[in-house]
Amino acid sequence: MLSDRDILSVLEMLKNEHLDVRTVTLGVSLLDCASHDLTIVKNRIRKKLTFLAKDLVSVCNRVGEKYGIPVVNKRISISPVAVFCAGLSPSQMVEIAKTLNEIALEVRIDFIGGFSALVEKGMTTGDRALIEAIPRALAETDRVCASVNVATTKAGINMDAVMLMGDTVKKCAELTADRDGIGCAKLCVFANIPQDMPFMAGAYLGVGEADAVINVGVSGPGVVKKAIDRALESDPAMDLGRISEIIKHTAYKVTRVGELIGREVAECLNIRFGVVDLSLAPTPTVGDSVGEIFQSLGLKSIGVPGTTAALAMLNDAVKKGGAFASSNVGGLSGAFIPVCEDLNIAESARLGYLTLEKLEAMTCVCSVGLDMVAIPGDTTADTIAAITADEMAIGVINRKTTATRLIPVPGKKAGDQVYFGGLLGQSTIMPVNNATGDNRFIRLGGLIPAPIQSLTN
């Protein structure tokens, strides 16, 4: 049970420490919308989504105002388009994306995710059509997000799909070159993608989920930072074990807040409540940065030696606190390290403390992976695929989710600045080793087999 002191600390989080519910995501299964007729599919999608989501934004706002806890983003995730639109051509898939974008505008949500395919073991005709459609779909819409899962610990790594995604990322950048390749900011390549994740760009509703479900994503890097600062101010001799306990307790309180909001929104909409995803997802706002937590822990900057150990402790403490607070924790639940979206991490990249190689090492212990990383525009598809393959291997071997969201910014080189605006933020473009070289290993293709589950050294 929460003590009076705990309640006061939550009020302080709300008032001064940027505590909010980062996102409420309505997951909707569209498997019953399948048809070989494009018009029928579009009509079925529109009818179902507008019916279920018509009150999403107003309910979130009303519940948020009731408790004084803002719900920052309202979103929709849907079944993988490659599954229920398997009979459509790439150009028809683009039409589906445009329909989804129109619906998003109509019901006033921020993003709609699920322009997705799951190809970890092989690709169907529908999967290939969707991947071919991704560049145009993301260039010709504003609110549609795409993801492709190319690897799992059980299946291995589909290297043909990895190579294909290297080409797809390049095409996305080229078609949105006038906006610094922003199409790539809406495309994630995954290993071990969870089915109940509320965060974009990877959100989609897995085939094992309910017909409609409310998932909640709670953030709070500013809250964690302030808790660490207060603790060290009161006791400068505090060791990391006790600091870990403080992070855990903070995560517990934040998770309870998220579940409270999520369950009330779900009840008002008469939709089943799904999970709370407790992730330290930053914003480009000062005081709400994951990178600043590392400085509170005593590091000069995120990226210097000691960063991976600090991130491992932070991630573990957040998961433990969240797991104690709720029986419905899901999604990713840990710490995000998106370069462009975090002011402090972007500054570390600009100053050279954070390199792509160090970022990759950190992804061994964080929630996602190489997230929102701007790279030189002349980086080849081979190199993008190779970076992706490295990241997928980390996820597959360690039985965790990893992803890449790489943005080869057309016409720009390492050291230049890129600005996307809003939550997508800005960053210095990071140098890439062998950016313009070819890579014969990647072009061998095939399937890297699933790893053995014993002999885990």
Side-chain angles (χ1 to χ4, degrees):
M1 179 178 291
L2 293 177
S3 65
D4 292 347
R5 188 172 178 178
D6 289 329
I7 293 171
L8 290 173
S9 73
V10 171
L11 293 175
E12 181 67 17
M13 291 176 185
L14 295 171
K15 186 177 179 183
N16 299 318
E17 300 172 5
H18 305 285
L19 176 62
D20 53 39
V21 172
R22 182 57 52 89
T23 184
V24 169
T25 301
L26 168 63
V28 180
S29 172
L30 296 181
L31 298 179
D32 54 355
C33 297
S35 171
H36 280 72
D37 187 309
L38 177 62
T39 303
I40 293 175
V41 179
K42 289 166 64 175
N43 289 339
R44 287 174 176 172
I45 292 173
R46 186 180 295 279
K47 181 179 179 182
K48 188 165 187 179
L49 287 183
T50 52
F51 173 74
L52 288 169
K54 64 182 185 300
D55 297 324
L56 176 64
V57 172
S58 59
V59 167
C60 286
N61 291 340
R62 190 168 71 241
V63 174
E65 288 170 6
K66 176 180 176 182
Y67 293 101
I69 303 170
V71 178
V72 180
N73 300 296
K74 300 87 176 176
R75 298 166 172 176
I76 294 176
S77 63
I78 59 172
S79 309
V81 170
V83 174
F84 71 91
C85 295
L88 303 183
S89 66
S91 60
Q92 290 175 319
M93 295 270 195
V94 175
E95 292 303 310
I96 294 295
K98 290 179 179 177
T99 300
L100 293 172
N101 197 62
E102 291 168 5
I103 295 168
L105 287 167
E106 184 177 336
V107 299
R108 297 178 294 130
I109 53 127
D110 305 292
F111 286 108
I112 183 165
F115 202 78
S116 307
L118 310 175
V119 298
E120 58 269 15
K121 209 168 184 178
M123 282 181 275
T124 65
T125 303
D127 295 328
R128 289 186 181 279
L130 180 122
I131 293 173
E132 187 177 335
I134 284 176
R136 273 192 60 203
L138 298 185
E140 296 175 19
T141 64
D142 296 320
R143 305 193 183 200
V144 175
C145 292
S147 60
V148 178
N149 192 72
V150 299
T152 67
T153 300
K154 295 287 187 184
I157 306 173
N158 183 344
M159 293 299 289
D160 295 326
V162 169
M163 188 64 233
L164 187 56
M165 291 313 298
D167 291 326
T168 302
V169 169
K170 287 289 288 185
K171 290 175 184 173
C172 283
E174 290 164 4
L175 290 184
T176 53
D178 58 333
R179 290 170 284 166
D180 283 338
I182 196 171
C184 301
K186 299 185 290 178
L187 171 61
C188 283
V189 184
F190 273 95
N192 293 323
I193 187 172
Q195 300 189 11
D196 54 8
M197 178 172 53
F199 289 108
M200 299 296 172
Y204 81 106
L205 190 74
V207 293
E209 296 285 310
D211 198 44
V213 65
I214 292 288
N215 293 324
V216 176
V218 179
S219 186
V223 173
V224 171
K225 178 189 182 307
K226 290 287 187 182
I228 295 171
D229 289 345
R230 278 195 300 270
L232 288 174
E233 187 177 337
S234 64
D235 182 5
M238 181 173 289
D239 64 22
L240 291 173
R242 291 168 62 193
I243 292 175
S244 176
E245 282 294 311
I246 287 168
I247 298 171
K248 193 170 72 176
H249 280 263
T250 304
Y252 164 78
K253 288 181 274 192
V254 170
T255 305
R256 294 300 292 171
V257 169
E259 180 155 343
L260 170 72
I261 298 295
R263 284 193 180 278
E264 184 146 341
V265 169
E267 186 177 341
C268 292
L269 293 172
N270 195 27
I271 290 174
R272 176 178 175 176
F273 177 72
V275 299
V276 180
D277 180 316
L278 176 65
S279 289
L280 295 181
T283 68
T285 304
V286 175
D288 203 22
S289 160
V290 171
E292 290 175 319
I293 296 174
F294 292 82
Q295 293 173 332
S296 292
L297 289 170
L299 294 171
K300 181 179 179 65
S301 170
I302 187 170
V304 303
T307 297
T308 307
L311 180 59
M313 181 192 75
L314 176 66
N315 216 34
D316 179 68
V318 167
K319 289 177 188 291
K320 286 174 177 171
F324 183 63
S326 173
S327 299
N328 299 87
V329 173
L332 295 167
S333 292
F336 288 8
I337 47 173
V339 178
C340 291
E341 295 178 0
D342 186 301
L343 197 63
N344 187 279
I345 297 177
E347 179 67 6
S348 299
R350 187 184 73 80
L351 295 173
Y353 292 120
L354 184 64
T355 64
L356 194 63
E357 289 74 19
K358 181 60 176 177
L359 205 56
E360 181 182 307
M362 292 164 64
T363 65
C364 297
V365 299
C366 80
S367 278
V368 189
L370 298 173
D371 196 16
M372 286 296 287
V373 182
I375 58 178
D378 61 356
T379 307
T380 63
D382 276 21
T383 300
I384 292 171
I387 296 170
T388 302
D390 286 343
E391 195 58 39
M392 298 302 103
I394 290 172
V396 166
I397 296 297
N398 291 290
R399 298 185 292 278
K400 68 185 289 295
T401 301
T402 54
T404 59
R405 192 161 42 148
L406 302 173
I407 309 165
V409 184
K412 293 192 175 180
K413 61 183 186 304
D416 289 347
Q417 287 291 310
V418 62
Y419 177 79
F420 297 114
L423 282 177
L424 297 179
Q426 59 186 320
S427 174
T428 299
I429 295 174
M430 300 181 74
V432 175
N433 185 19
N434 195 39
T436 58
D438 56 6
N439 193 314
R440 185 165 174 266
F441 167 74
I442 289 298
R443 292 190 174 276
L444 291 175
L447 182 74
I448 294 180
I452 190 168
Q453 299 293 302
S454 60
L455 305 177
T456 54
N457 285 323

